[in-house]
């Protein structure tokens, strides 16, 4: 009778256990066969909401300086988003450990910061939910990389995307207004007109009592465009009425330009 060593017994046990296990193609395959399996829950809720509820200044510092019935452009802060989401997962892992949940605490429980519900993909492209996540799984982040480069979305150079912020009565009175960006086109007289290429918001959100914001896959230089012969005319932001709902409130134009005699005579032509 031969004598089995401790290593031999462990190898036989490992082979026997692996022969009984049947895992799918998406199962975690660690380099070490006895490493703990990282099985964690993932919460799809947009996590900007609890931050907003904690205090609006955490989301948009200086929001109180934005006057009523005005529009402004902001830029996202991807390093802040990643730091916030990293902290959320760290604290959730501590909470799960306290409640004796079996996990190795390397999981990513929250990957969605912005609310991407209602996103319309570009024509001829299939919607991939994975590419709308705001961060990659934390365990694949590179140690030598700084915060701001760990998004699942294809961010522009610098990681800053434009956010159109609207404060006022318009969207409270017409909450279903369609808002998107359209590339401008140059005309023969040197003015700019609406083109045909559209860019729809990637995410949107609200802040009480009268603020709505929309995030676009655009940067400031694209929207402003360039001047001179052959320059880029930039982009327009479009506020479009719903065809089956009441109009914004102005009359249809009979002519363009000039000054209305009274508020009741005001039409869209006076705004051209």
């Amino acid at each position: 009778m031969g004598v089995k060593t401790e290593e031999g017994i462990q190898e036989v046990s490992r082979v026997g256990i692996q022969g009984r296990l049947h895992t799918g193609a998406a199962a975690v395959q660690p380099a070490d066969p006895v490493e703990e399996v990282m099985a964690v829950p993932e919460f799809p809720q947009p996590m900007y909401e609890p931050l907003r509820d904690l205090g609006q200044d955490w989301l948009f510092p200086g929001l109180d300086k934005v006057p009523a019935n005005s529009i402004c452009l902001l830029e996202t802060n991807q390093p802040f988003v990643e730091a916030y989401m990293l902290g959320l997962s760290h604290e959730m892992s501590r909470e799960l450990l306290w409640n004796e949940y079996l996990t190795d605490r390397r999981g990513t429980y929250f990957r969605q910061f912005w609310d991407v519900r209602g996103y319309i993909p570009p024509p001829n492209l299939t919607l991939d939910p994975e590419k709308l996540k705001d961060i990659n799984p934390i365990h694949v982040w590179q140690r030598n990389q700084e915060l701001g480069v760990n998004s699942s979305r294809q961010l522009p150079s610098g990681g800053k995307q434009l956010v159109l912020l609207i404060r006022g009565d318009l969207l409270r009175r017409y909450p279903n207004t369609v808002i998107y960006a359209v590339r401008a086109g140059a005309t023969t007289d040197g003015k700019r007109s609406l083109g045909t290429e559209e860019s729809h918001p990637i995410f949107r959100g609200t802040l009480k009592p009268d603020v709505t914001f929309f995030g676009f896959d655009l940067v400031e230089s694209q929207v402003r465009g360039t001047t001179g012969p052959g320059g880029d005319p930039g982009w327009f932001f479009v506020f479009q009425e719903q065809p089956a709902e009441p109009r914004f409130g102005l009359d249809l134009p009979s002519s363009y330009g000039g000054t209305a005699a009274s508020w009741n005579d005001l039409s869209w032509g006076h705004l051209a």
Side-chain angles (χ1 to χ4, degrees):
M1 179 183 294
V3 178
K4 292 184 178 180
T5 64
E6 181 177 354
E7 291 79 5
I9 295 175
Q10 291 178 348
E11 179 64 20
V12 171
S13 299
R14 182 180 68 81
V15 174
I17 292 175
Q18 286 185 339
R20 300 178 185 179
L21 294 178
H22 300 279
T23 59
V28 176
Q29 301 293 336
D32 185 350
V34 297
E35 183 180 5
E36 292 181 87
V37 175
M38 187 174 53
V40 298
E42 184 173 324
F43 303 94
Q45 293 87 347
M47 296 311 294
Y48 92 89
E49 293 178 344
L51 185 64
R52 171 200 62 188
D53 298 340
L54 183 65
Q56 294 187 355
D57 281 344
W58 289 105
L59 193 62
F60 290 114
L63 182 63
D64 59 312
K65 307 298 182 183
V66 179
N69 295 315
S70 63
I71 299 174
C72 65
L73 285 175
L74 308 174
E75 291 180 329
T76 57
N77 187 342
Q78 184 64 21
F80 172 81
V81 171
E82 293 180 8
Y84 171 70
M85 302 295 278
L86 179 63
L88 280 178
S89 288
H90 173 71
E91 290 301 319
M92 178 58 74
S93 66
R94 287 163 53 90
E95 185 68 22
L96 292 178
L97 179 64
W98 172 257
N99 287 277
E100 300 182 356
Y101 183 90
L102 297 179
T103 178
D104 56 5
R105 292 182 292 167
R106 296 183 305 162
T108 305
Y109 309 94
F110 307 96
R111 297 182 57 195
Q112 200 71 65
F113 181 80
W114 301 111
D115 187 353
V116 297
R117 291 172 293 185
Y119 168 68
I120 301 176
N124 303 322
L125 290 181
T126 302
L127 179 63
D128 184 358
E130 179 65 23
K131 293 184 179 180
L132 295 179
K133 300 292 180 63
D134 289 293
I135 63 171
N136 290 317
I138 296 173
H139 69 279
V140 303
W141 293 12
Q142 300 298 318
R143 294 185 178 182
N144 59 347
Q145 289 183 334
E146 298 181 353
L147 292 174
V149 296
N150 300 293
S151 176
S152 296
R153 289 190 279 112
Q154 296 295 323
L155 298 180
S157 178
K160 296 180 179 181
Q161 294 176 293
L162 279 186
V163 177
L164 179 69
L165 186 141
I166 305 167
R167 181 167 214 166
D169 299 326
L170 174 63
L171 296 183
R172 287 198 292 181
R173 298 185 62 180
Y174 306 96
N176 295 325
T177 300
V178 181
I179 298 176
Y180 56 98
V182 176
R183 182 183 289 276
T187 58
T188 55
D189 58 1
K191 297 181 180 180
R192 295 187 297 175
S193 63
L194 292 175
T196 57
E197 182 181 353
E198 298 179 358
S199 176
H200 291 266
I202 297 177
F203 60 85
R204 65 174 295 169
T206 59
L207 295 97
K208 295 181 180 179
D210 58 350
V211 173
T212 306
F213 59 89
F214 302 84
F216 291 87
D217 192 18
L218 298 169
V219 297
E220 180 183 358
S221 58
Q222 287 178 283
V223 172
R224 289 185 179 277
T226 56
T227 59
D232 184 355
W235 290 72
F236 285 108
F237 289 103
V238 176
F239 292 70
Q240 180 176 306
E241 299 169 330
Q242 286 283 359
E245 294 189 2
R247 295 185 175 275
F248 287 156
L250 300 184
D251 295 332
L252 294 176
S254 57
S255 61
Y256 293 92
T259 302
S262 66
W263 283 107
N264 290 330
D265 297 329
L266 187 65
S267 72
W268 289 111
H270 295 104
L271 303 183

